Amino acid sequence: MTNEELFAATAIKTWTTVTARLEKLLSSLSDDELQSEVSPGRNRVYYILGHLAAYHDRLLPMLGLGERLHPELDDLFIANPDRTFPDEIAAAELRKMFTEVNAKVTSAIEAMPPADLLQKHEAVSAEDFAKEPLRNRLAVFEIRTAHAMFHAGQIRLVAKS
Amino acid sequence: MTNEELFAATAIKTWTTVTARLEKLLSSLSDDELQSEVSPGRNRVYYILGHLAAYHDRLLPMLGLGERLHPELDDLFIANPDRTFPDEIAAAELRKMFTEVNAKVTSAIEAMPPADLLQKHEAVSAEDFAKEPLRNRLAVFEIRTAHAMFHAGQIRLVAKS
């Protein structure tokens, strides 16, 4: 492997380690237990699951990996806080969406030539990117990986593994 | 910047974003408030702060960045769970250790030639590394960044920012 390939593969491995950890935490909870709050008065695990599925789905266009699978999640799990709406999506369906979105991000980013990770992401202008080359796809991918662990730490407080 | 420099700088930027976020969360809490549990019956913020300081201090030898500053933290904050011992280190002192350790890791890793991040870390044998080249320093650095965010998500449940 070239150094560029090693840099890219290491970042992808961190992502897959984190998403596997999350999926394991979630699978330790029943659908009913997804209704638990991670701490009294805080978000339910159900909401956090939808929130992560929505943010990971957003990675697809943001990183040039393809079309979104579930844009309908944004309103329920990003734009509005927990308990704004009755739960419109069954827990089993939400789990499936999360797993599918993660798998699509992983396979698409594995197929990307490593240097393409250093290109600008969709939400930065060409002018700004010329001045700030660290506003690249890799930065977004790494921050999303960190964001996933932020919420994994919260789910861990009620999960059984 | 070369592509290797961009890959390295992006990973370091993720680390500095995460440690700055943590330091901000911690600074929103008084020393007394560090005694709060992140959720009933779970670790106190004080313990998590020491735990992160210990793990980040371990990065120094692990990544070939230098000698440890505070090996005495391991017994208190890694080897043993919260509330095993009376608090031996004042909160203000622990905050200072955490900030100093993070700054030392950051400056040392910024000074490292990018390709050196792809070398084996201290805890893997040369034989194993030859078979598994992703067991490199960068992988450890990225997993520690993710680990920091895992606990940031927990501290967020009691912090004010």
Side-chain angles (χ1 to χ4, degrees):
Chain A
M1 289 173 95
T2 65
N3 280 359
E4 284 189 20
E5 286 167 345
L6 287 166
F7 271 109
T10 302
I12 294 168
K13 185 183 162 198
T14 304
W15 158 265
T16 55
T17 300
V18 166
T19 51
R21 174 79 190 273
L22 259 168
E23 290 174 14
K24 189 179 169 201
L25 284 169
L26 291 163
S27 70
S28 80
L29 297 169
S30 69
D31 289 353
D32 283 348
E33 287 168 335
L34 290 191
Q35 294 294 323
S36 307
E37 297 170 333
V38 296
S39 186
R42 295 296 188 163
N43 290 329
R44 293 172 300 156
V45 179
Y46 172 87
Y47 180 83
I48 293 174
L49 168 59
H51 177 76
L52 290 172
Y55 264 112
H56 293 183
D57 195 49
R58 282 185 170 191
L59 283 175
L60 295 166
M62 182 81 94
L63 306 186
L65 300 173
E67 297 280 311
R68 292 193 61 171
L69 298 176
H70 298 293
E72 73 276 15
L73 295 175
D74 290 13
D75 217 36
L76 301 172
F77 298 110
I78 295 181
N80 292 289
D82 194 10
R83 303 180 193 84
T84 305
F85 308 106
D87 295 345
E88 293 181 14
I89 304 174
E93 178 65 15
L94 204 53
R95 291 178 192 270
K96 195 170 147 230
M97 288 177 176
F98 184 57
T99 306
E100 283 174 354
V101 166
N102 291 339
K104 183 168 174 183
V105 169
T106 302
S107 63
I109 207 157
E110 283 176 342
M112 181 177 271
D116 287 9
L117 281 171
L118 301 175
Q119 291 180 6
K120 81 174 198 67
H121 60 73
E122 203 199 41
V124 66
S125 70
E127 294 74 26
D128 287 346
F129 184 61
K131 284 176 273 183
E132 299 174 87
L134 297 189
R135 296 179 69 178
N136 54 44
R137 290 166 170 169
L138 179 65
V140 172
F141 184 59
E142 290 186 354
I143 286 291
R144 279 293 154 269
T145 305
H147 172 255
M149 273 295 267
F150 183 89
H151 290 297
Q154 298 175 337
I155 295 172
R156 180 65 187 83
L157 298 172
V158 294
K160 296 175 191 73
S161 66
Chain B
M1 288 174 95
T2 66
N3 280 359
E4 284 189 19
E5 285 167 346
L6 286 166
F7 271 110
T10 303
I12 294 169
K13 184 183 162 199
T14 304
W15 157 264
T16 55
T17 300
V18 166
T19 51
R21 174 81 190 272
L22 260 170
E23 290 174 14
K24 189 179 168 200
L25 285 169
L26 290 164
S27 70
S28 79
L29 297 170
S30 69
D31 289 353
D32 282 349
E33 287 167 336
L34 290 191
Q35 294 294 323
S36 308
E37 295 169 336
V38 296
S39 187
R42 295 295 187 163
N43 290 329
R44 293 171 302 156
V45 180
Y46 171 88
Y47 180 83
I48 293 174
L49 167 58
H51 177 76
L52 290 171
Y55 264 111
H56 292 182
D57 196 50
R58 281 185 170 190
L59 284 175
L60 295 166
M62 182 82 91
L63 306 186
L65 300 173
E67 296 281 312
R68 292 194 61 171
L69 298 176
H70 298 294
E72 73 276 15
L73 296 175
D74 290 12
D75 216 36
L76 301 172
F77 298 110
I78 295 180
N80 293 289
D82 194 11
R83 304 180 191 83
T84 305
F85 308 105
D87 295 346
E88 292 180 14
I89 303 175
E93 178 66 15
L94 203 54
R95 290 178 193 270
K96 195 170 147 231
M97 287 177 176
F98 183 56
T99 306
E100 283 174 353
V101 165
N102 290 339
K104 183 168 175 184
V105 169
T106 302
S107 63
I109 207 158
E110 283 176 342
M112 180 178 271
D116 287 10
L117 281 170
L118 302 175
Q119 291 179 6
K120 82 174 197 67
H121 62 72
E122 203 197 42
V124 64
S125 70
E127 294 73 26
D128 287 346
F129 184 62
K131 282 176 274 182
E132 298 175 89
L134 297 189
R135 296 179 68 176
N136 55 44
R137 289 167 171 169
L138 179 65
V140 173
F141 184 57
E142 290 186 353
I143 286 291
R144 279 292 154 267
T145 304
H147 172 256
M149 274 294 268
F150 183 89
H151 291 296
Q154 298 176 335
I155 295 172
R156 179 67 188 80
L157 298 171
V158 294
K160 295 173 192 76
S161 67

